Amino acid sequence: MIRESRGLGDELKKSVLLTPAVLVLILFFLIPIFLTVYYSFTNLALNGEGARNVQFIGLENYSRMMTDPNMINSIVTTLIFLVGSLIGQQILGFFIALMMKGKNSRFRSIIGPFFLAGWIMPEVVVALCSFAFFDRSGTLNAILQSINIPMVEWLYKYPLLSVIIANVWHGMAFSMINFQSALDNVPGDIEEAARVDGANYWQRLFYIIIPQIKNTIATNTMLNTLSTLGVFGLIYTMTGGGPGVATQVLPIFMYKQAFVSFQLGYGTAISMVLLVLGLIFSILYARIVED
Amino acid sequence: MFRRIMRFILVSTMILSLTACGGNSLDSSSKSESGGDVSSDKNDGSKEKSVITITYREDGQGEKAPNYTWIKNAYETWDMKDQVELDLAPISASEGDYFAKVALQLQSPKTAPDLLTEDSFQLSADVEAGYLTDISDYVKDFPDFQDGKFYEKIIDGYTIDGRVYAIPYSADTRGLWYNRELLDKAGYSYPWQPNSWNDILEALAAIKETSPDVFPIWMNAGVATGEGTTMQTYEMLLYGTGEKLQDEDGKYIIESQAILDTLNMLKTIFTEGYGPDLSLVLNGQTSNTLYSEYFTKGKTAISLDGNWAVGRFNEDGMNPWPGYEDKIGFAAMPTQKGQEPGFITMSGGWGWAIPENADNKDVAFQFMKHLMSYDLYLNGICTKGNITVRKDIAEDEKYANQPFYSKASSLLDGAYFRPKEAKYAQVSTAIQTMVESVVTGTSPEDAIATYGSDVIRMVGEENVVRK
């Protein structure tokens, strides 16, 4: 009997303490997600008929997407942006971490912050810095002109490359930190043994070090993938998705459909594709880690 | 079991108490808001001032913005000044973003302003969405509006199915502003008037030859300049081919020789180096850059732009330029090959509208009437640099003596208007992307293909046509 009442007290306490969290979750997470899914099946718009009279239109948004060259272009652009960013962030992050491995802590504490700078800055500041770097009268052109190379309009001639470089700069430090901690955990004796057996540096790197940290590589890739898929502010500030549709990744395409062309229904449908894309990659990486 | 029931009761009590709190706070705030209604103030005799919120677009000019001075002067001279407080809520945004922000504001009584500047091309879409108040009954109490002092053709643009939704305050035409000295240097005497697109291209080549350091021509070409790109650039060319955006049945033309010619003209201008550097033109501030740093300093020869550009050069304008009337000229935009009618212009304009969700419609209308009264409007329209919508102002010396106004106004007679149709605003965004793509190197054919699929998505396959 005493046990029972104490149990009830516990339950009561738990319920009281949990209720706010559950409510917040329902209000700000479940309902919006449910609404997003619902809206993607409607003709919801910011003005015109779709604003006054929202109607369920079934799969129309999705079937339109299949034949929309802008959608295909956006998916391709997103994938290029993703792969470019991943390669840049991972490889640079890995090699910086590798180079800093075993160096003394003073060296690490001086060099580390330089790379961290790009990461700790808010996205929009990174975007403005990158804009100032690539702009026609920006740093890069100033350097080029000082060595008599003619100015290039980077943001208009190589827009996708420019935003990828900016994103790599922004995200590289995160990879570096992950790899640093993983590399620190690679036991020195295995490497030592390999060295004694006559393995050269590259062999040790590819056969000893990388296999040891492959889980970190997978996790890091997954986190970078998800954050890169959602990049909006950086690209929007630098190029606005342009010129034309050259840097129109899915989040920008979604924004433009929803808030420039005012087709909120179609915009939410695009966001569902983004969600699915993120899911696919997550499952893929989770599988790799398991194996 | 008992535990489960307890849990359920607890959770529901908590939810209920939370929502009840929410309900209370909503009520009290809405009460305080509706307390701003001037009629109820009068009834209960309270001295509390009512507030009207005014939303307009400004591009970072702050207190120098023509709208600001116009509204401020109107408030200072308003006989209801003591009873009403003004809350100015300008939106500092590029043209495209302005409409998105306004559309969001208009959805709720909590955020909707009482008075709003509305571009005529957005009107149909906003009316269809139910955002705007039908002011047909209000205008009965506005003698100037009833007595034919406004141009009927312009009022038509703000009337849908016989109902009035806004009071127009500006009209506009477009053409080629040019620097006389640079044209002179290139071998053209004043006044310069090209008669076909080829004449323009020849002049541009000559300017590039004789003044290699200047940009021969400047025109909106990006997504960031929104409707400015559609109207001042694309449609000024397209309508000069003899084709319009829609055919006679109101179907959007998504593929035609005329569209291809228009895009090829743009491509030529930007690939031959006649246009400005892309980074200068593909952003929302391009007009400010052009007039503050290039055109007024003789670094750009020709600007394809609205008649309002000249308003900037006045003493109290944004880019004062003493003696500008002897330094520049205004030429009508020729048709493609000089075909009938010889010259073309697009025309649009802005009006004052009262949102459906406004709290204070009556007072807002009173203020709107005051804004449009003779003296205030005369000053307002002169600083804005737009064409007046009132016939009596058109004859006023102060207005008529402004340089270039008679020429700009005379173009109104044969002006083309944009489709008065709810989907046009969306189609316009597809045009902007198409133009930006072409000037940045996409082939006109590819850009047209994208445009076509965009427009089909917006208006439906049954409302488009290929030629």
Side-chain angles (χ1 to χ4, degrees):
Chain A
M1 195 61 203
I2 296 167
R3 270 181 78 96
E4 178 66 48
S5 71
R6 207 173 71 195
L8 182 69
D10 267 3
E11 285 296 319
L12 207 147
K13 244 194 276 174
K14 266 191 239 164
S15 311
V16 171
L17 290 175
L18 270 179
T19 311
V22 172
L23 277 180
V24 168
L25 211 66
I26 294 176
L27 263 178
F28 296 105
F29 194 68
L30 287 181
I31 295 180
I33 286 191
F34 174 75
L35 280 178
T36 311
V37 176
Y38 170 70
Y39 285 147
S40 71
F41 294 103
T42 66
N43 66 344
L44 182 72
L46 260 187
N47 67 14
E49 202 201 336
R52 190 201 285 258
N53 182 15
V54 182
Q55 276 175 339
F56 188 78
I57 53 166
L59 286 170
E60 207 178 304
N61 285 328
Y62 292 93
S63 62
R64 273 180 194 166
M65 228 182 256
M66 300 295 159
T67 53
D68 186 348
N70 268 320
M71 185 68 196
I72 295 156
N73 165 70
S74 286
I75 292 178
V76 172
T77 311
T78 307
L79 290 178
I80 298 176
F81 180 67
L82 178 66
V83 172
S85 298
L86 281 182
I87 293 177
Q89 290 176 352
Q90 306 267 62
I91 293 185
L92 275 176
F94 179 75
F95 278 104
I96 294 167
L98 196 66
M99 280 190 279
M100 285 168 73
K101 184 177 186 251
K103 299 284 188 303
N104 66 40
S105 63
R106 189 180 297 165
F107 176 79
R108 285 165 75 143
S109 66
I110 293 173
I111 298 298
F114 280 102
F115 297 112
L116 278 176
W119 184 53
I120 53 171
M121 274 196 248
E123 196 179 38
V124 68
V125 180
V126 172
L128 287 176
C129 289
S130 310
F131 184 83
F133 181 72
F134 288 114
D135 189 41
R136 69 191 288 270
S137 49
T139 323
L140 185 55
N141 277 326
I143 295 170
L144 289 181
Q145 278 178 325
S146 71
I147 50 174
N148 284 329
I149 297 175
M151 176 187 97
V152 181
E153 292 241 42
W154 297 100
L155 289 168
Y156 299 96
K157 291 276 185 282
Y158 309 101
L160 200 49
L161 183 70
S162 305
V163 293
I164 288 176
I165 292 176
N167 193 42
V168 167
W169 182 60
H170 182 41
M172 183 184 66
F174 177 71
S175 301
M176 181 190 80
I177 296 168
N178 278 338
F179 288 132
Q180 248 178 3
S181 65
L183 287 174
D184 287 344
N185 288 330
V186 174
D189 44 356
I190 306 180
E191 215 190 324
E192 197 55 42
R195 195 204 301 265
V196 174
D197 287 346
N200 66 25
Y201 181 78
W202 295 106
Q203 283 171 325
R204 271 180 282 137
L205 182 65
F206 284 108
Y207 297 114
I208 309 286
I209 298 179
I210 291 183
Q212 295 252 357
I213 62 163
K214 78 173 201 305
N215 276 355
T216 308
I217 296 178
T219 316
N220 188 48
T221 312
M222 186 173 88
L223 292 174
N224 278 335
T225 303
L226 294 181
S227 67
T228 304
L229 275 181
V231 168
F232 173 81
L234 180 83
I235 301 181
Y236 196 73
T237 313
M238 283 178 72
T239 63
V245 291
T247 53
Q248 187 169 281
V249 291
L250 281 171
I252 301 231
F253 184 46
M254 176 181 90
Y255 173 83
K256 282 195 171 170
Q257 290 307 317
F259 294 104
V260 179
S261 301
F262 293 177
Q263 297 170 300
L264 291 174
Y266 194 58
T268 42
I270 299 166
S271 75
M272 298 313 293
V273 173
L274 202 59
L275 196 76
V276 170
L277 217 61
L279 263 175
I280 294 176
F281 280 114
S282 306
I283 294 170
L284 219 69
Y285 292 131
R287 279 279 164 82
I288 295 173
V289 176
E290 271 173 26
D291 290 348
Chain B
M1 187 61 197
F2 177 68
R3 269 194 259 166
R4 269 194 204 156
I5 294 172
M6 272 307 283
R7 233 183 294 174
F8 175 71
I9 293 174
L10 270 171
V11 171
S12 7
T13 334
M14 213 141 170
I15 293 176
L16 280 176
S17 62
L18 273 176
T19 47
C21 287
N24 276 341
S25 67
L26 278 180
D27 267 2
S28 62
S29 71
S30 61
K31 259 177 213 150
S32 70
E33 262 179 27
S34 60
D37 194 321
V38 95
S39 54
S40 66
D41 279 357
K42 276 178 188 161
N43 289 340
D44 63 27
S46 89
K47 294 251 168 97
E48 201 181 315
K49 279 187 176 183
S50 62
V51 178
I52 56 171
T53 312
I54 304 182
T55 290
Y56 56 93
R57 182 182 162 239
E58 68 135 288
D59 47 4
Q61 300 293 328
E63 302 193 351
K64 274 177 90 180
N67 273 335
Y68 176 85
T69 44
W70 183 18
I71 294 169
K72 193 170 154 267
N73 289 340
Y75 183 62
E76 295 301 327
T77 56
W78 195 23
D79 51 12
M80 286 174 77
K81 187 182 169 191
D82 297 331
Q83 300 145 49
V84 184
E85 212 169 281
L86 276 199
D87 177 13
L88 293 190
I91 293 180
S92 215
S94 68
E95 199 164 278
D97 286 347
Y98 174 76
F99 300 119
K101 290 182 182 205
V102 164
L104 287 169
Q105 274 192 326
L106 294 185
Q107 296 194 339
S108 153
K110 287 199 165 300
T111 50
D114 298 294
L115 207 53
L116 163 81
T117 57
E118 173 88 358
D119 194 325
S120 51
F121 88 95
Q122 279 285 347
L123 196 85
S124 305
D126 284 350
V127 167
E128 197 173 308
Y131 288 158
L132 301 181
T133 302
D134 171 4
I135 55 169
S136 308
D137 290 334
Y138 283 98
V139 294
K140 286 181 186 149
D141 177 37
F142 187 11
D144 288 357
F145 197 76
Q146 299 295 326
D147 298 348
K149 287 195 174 127
F150 285 66
Y151 291 101
E152 284 79 14
K153 199 174 168 185
I154 292 174
I155 291 180
D156 274 353
Y158 300 83
T159 310
I160 293 173
D161 298 332
R163 315 299 296 174
V164 183
Y165 287 93
I167 304 253
Y169 66 76
S170 75
D172 45 39
T173 58
R174 286 141 185 79
L176 299 158
W177 292 103
Y178 58 90
N179 179 308
R180 287 192 206 176
E181 195 188 325
L182 291 172
L183 262 293
D184 189 53
K185 223 168 134 188
Y188 294 89
S189 56
Y190 179 81
W192 172 65
Q193 178 57 64
N195 291 309
S196 67
W197 290 1
N198 264 338
D199 285 0
I200 297 178
L201 288 176
E202 276 169 25
L204 296 180
I207 294 163
K208 198 171 163 61
E209 180 83 32
T210 49
S211 312
D213 294 336
V214 310
F215 297 127
I217 191 166
W218 194 302
M219 53 177 77
N220 291 322
V223 172
T225 33
E227 185 64 12
T229 297
T230 309
M231 201 179 181
Q232 272 90 276
T233 298
Y234 180 77
E235 290 171 353
M236 285 295 285
L237 289 166
L238 180 72
Y239 281 56
T241 63
E243 191 173 292
K244 298 176 186 170
L245 275 182
Q246 295 175 302
D247 69 0
E248 302 75 26
D249 304 325
K251 292 184 175 183
Y252 283 97
I253 303 169
I254 56 169
E255 205 181 296
S256 71
Q257 188 59 41
I259 299 178
L260 192 64
D261 289 350
T262 301
L263 295 182
N264 273 323
M265 176 73 175
L266 285 169
K267 189 179 159 205
T268 309
I269 288 171
F270 281 85
T271 50
E272 296 290 326
Y274 298 149
D277 289 350
L278 294 172
S279 51
L280 295 173
V281 76
L282 298 185
N283 64 68
Q285 286 295 316
T286 184
S287 281
N288 287 338
T289 314
L290 164 63
Y291 292 112
S292 64
E293 290 171 40
Y294 287 86
F295 193 69
T296 46
K297 296 189 176 157
K299 291 194 233 165
T300 291
I302 301 170
S303 161
L304 174 56
D305 205 351
N307 64 283
W308 59 81
V310 74
R312 290 170 167 267
F313 308 142
N314 290 320
E315 212 177 315
D316 47 1
M318 289 188 277
N319 310 107
W321 190 10
Y324 71 87
E325 53 272 30
D326 300 320
K327 293 173 184 161
I328 62 174
F330 185 61
M333 182 71 184
T335 51
Q336 183 181 13
K337 296 174 180 137
Q339 65 264 53
E340 280 295 310
F343 306 100
I344 81 120
T345 186
M346 298 299 298
S347 179
W350 288 69
W352 290 109
I354 300 177
E356 185 61 45
N357 280 324
D359 310 312
N360 244 333
K361 295 185 182 178
D362 299 343
V363 185
F365 187 78
Q366 293 306 319
F367 189 67
M368 188 174 179
K369 236 165 73 174
H370 185 56
L371 276 168
M372 294 307 295
S373 63
Y374 194 95
D375 292 334
L376 279 167
Y377 177 54
L378 175 62
N379 265 324
I381 197 73
C382 289
T383 39
K384 285 176 83 65
N386 281 113
I387 295 175
T388 178
V389 298
R390 282 183 67 138
K391 297 174 191 163
D392 46 359
I393 300 264
E395 284 156 19
D396 191 288
E397 273 185 20
K398 175 174 172 173
Y399 173 83
N401 286 346
Q402 298 178 99
F404 306 110
Y405 266 70
S406 56
K407 171 115 190 179
S409 306
S410 71
L411 295 175
L412 257 186
D413 285 339
Y416 291 101
F417 295 90
R418 293 164 289 183
K420 207 166 120 189
E421 188 266 326
K423 289 280 165 53
Y424 168 74
Q426 286 183 23
V427 172
S428 173
T429 64
I431 293 175
Q432 294 147 30
T433 306
M434 172 166 70
V435 171
E436 184 171 294
S437 300
V438 167
V439 302
T440 54
T442 305
S443 78
E445 289 80 4
D446 288 352
I448 290 175
T450 311
Y451 171 67
S453 75
D454 277 346
V455 177
I456 290 172
R457 193 180 62 244
M458 290 161 178
V459 306
E461 181 79 53
E462 65 282 7
N463 291 318
V464 301
V465 58
R466 297 173 177 81
K467 285 201 168 172

